[in-house]
Amino acid sequence: MRSDYCGNINANHAGQEVTLCGWVNKRRDLGGLIFIDLRDRAGIVQVVFEPDHQEVLETANSLRNEFCVKVTGKVRLRPEGQINKDMATGEVEIVGTALSIFNRSAPLPLDWNQENSEEQRLKYRYLDLRRPVMNDRLQFRAKVTGQVRRFLEDEGFLDIETPILTKATPEGARDYLVPSRTHKGEFFALPQSPQLFKQLLMMAGMDKYYQIVKCFRDEDLRADRQPEFTQIDLETTFLDADGVMDITERLVRQVFKNLMDVDLGDFPRMTYADAMKHYGSDKPDLRNPLKLIDVDHILKDVEFKVFNGPANDPNGRVTVICVPGGASLSRKQLDEYTKFVGIYGAKGMAWLKVNEKGKGMDGLQSPILKFLNESVVEQLLSETNANDGDILLFGADNATVVTEALGALRLKVGEDFDLLEGDWRPLWVVDFPMFEEFDGQLHALHHPFTAPRDLTPEQLKEQAATALSNAYDMVLNGVELGGGSVRIHDQTMQSTVFELLGIDEEEAELKFGFLLEALRYGAPPHAGLAFGLDRMVMLMTGASSIRDVMAFPKTTTAACPLTDAPGAANPQQLEELAIRTVAKASDSASDE
């Protein structure tokens, strides 16, 4: 039907006849000449209809934006003064000699000359995806997955599918449940990840598995979350953490190099403890030069209770960020930062401006200055390397609150003051705690199948509060690209972890009996990692949300405006599933 793609036409085609299919991107009537920009997924080319083909010209006169058409014509070079250097096809144009209209378009519900609401864009997603920026992102995503597949297959990985209808497992979020018609009152769960199945594949001797797979989590949504998302999932046998990190680091470096001509270089490694101490986050953005500087030791004996209380509390923390040029901040701006840290539980934010360091105390400005003697101030300025024009922003509270609040403030201040350095800063974060404790109960920081680092089951029981896991996260520009770990391959160790997590033998057997059974039959050492494909493409394309790199995403309320999903099931379906729905509180109708 067509001989070429619109975006591929160039000077080498001059004098040739081509047939193109696509959509009218723009139409211009110059009185006797009609120009259209014809668009397909490869790009846009200019077509001109001239009086020499009067019948074709009359048909072209009826064209409007988004008409779907076929054009046949001869390629000619544009005159020197009419070359459009902003278009890949700007050196040429097509002189139309034949024109067919496949389909006319009604007036569009989207206006591409202005910002449309996300609700409108998702409702008419098939139109939104025609925009070159969206089209380009989906094409780029396809190139990423192609690169990933080729790399992993060259490394000996097998693409193996795992079930979508499975059993609920603890992965940190709510499951999406699917009722069973043949087993009334029982439910499948959609997988939050293929974790257990890929471990079983390693026990089955598949050696190296990968899958570009859909995962499902019923959780609160934001820019980098969706109820269904895509993972690049992989697992290996007889490789330790270093081996997995080597393979996956080479994978990401190759994808960036081949598709963006970006050399990420070697990825540095940082412990979880150092990441939280210096950056207030387990996914630090290293483009931001600001660090959290602990000053507890300086402020233990000051009279100011806001400082000396947390400084002397084993569970407290007093830390500071030194912002270059921050002394220019107005009181209103400082109040806005105070409100910002309040989101993370901070009760307030102290500050100290360094106007003229050489004048001593007279060169400083702060409401808390009266509580600090000259010796303490000198230590603070020395410890933070503060200079004229800088400001110190303090956090003092429970260690968790301070870490989260100042970590978030560090990112906000870095953007506000345009402090980010470099385009791409990757790293590995390693040595995560094995467990975290809340509500008096231990919880797995990653998942309950992660192996501890260099501990026997007996030692793990004794050191559970301080044990480290053999886990690793790949971070790029403050975004967790992927996370993985060495898995537990010993039944005794797995049972010990379940016990520490408060999962008794009966519950463990009920939920994970098949895994515990499999561990008894020569299970090999194995390890793996899963990348967030959506996040990776979002970063590489500069999109602000993973919704802009997915073909048909959900809204932040997990709904689909295009199809009106989710929707009600009809009574017959519910009866077959032995399900009764409960009316909403606002409904006056009785239960169905």
Side-chain angles (χ1 to χ4, degrees), residues 27 67 106 116 124 164 248 276 285 298 322 358 360 369-370 399 528:
R27 172 188 174 277
F67 277 31
N116 299 285
Y124 298 100
I164 293 298
T248 51
M276 299 303 289
D285 187 347
I298 300 174
C322 180
L369 206 55
K370 58 187 175 183

Side-chain angles (χ1 to χ4, degrees), residues 55 232 448 565:
E55 186 177 343
I232 303 168

Side-chain angles (χ1 to χ4, degrees), residues 263 275 425:
D263 185 358
R425 293 293 302 276

Side-chain angles (χ1 to χ4, degrees), residues 108-180:
L108 297 181
L110 299 179
D111 185 350
W112 290 355
N113 295 315
Q114 66 178 28
E115 287 292 322
N116 299 285
S117 71
E118 186 170 65
E119 187 80 12
Q120 282 292 98
R121 289 177 54 208
L122 294 183
K123 182 175 178 62
Y124 298 100
R125 190 62 162 182
Y126 46 89
L127 296 178
D128 186 51
L129 292 178
R130 290 184 190 175
R131 292 190 300 135
V133 64
M134 295 301 296
N135 189 297
D136 290 347
R137 285 171 181 164
L138 289 190
Q139 290 194 55
F140 187 87
R141 180 185 176 116
K143 291 176 182 177
V144 171
T145 58
Q147 288 282 328
V148 168
R149 290 187 187 280
R150 285 188 287 275
F151 177 91
L152 291 176
E153 287 167 6
D154 287 346
E155 291 284 333
F157 284 78
L158 303 177
D159 182 0
I160 304 176
E161 294 181 350
T162 53
I164 293 298
L165 294 177
T166 182
K167 192 174 186 178
T169 57
E171 295 277 352
R174 298 183 190 90
D175 290 304
Y176 278 100
L177 299 178
V178 180
S180 170

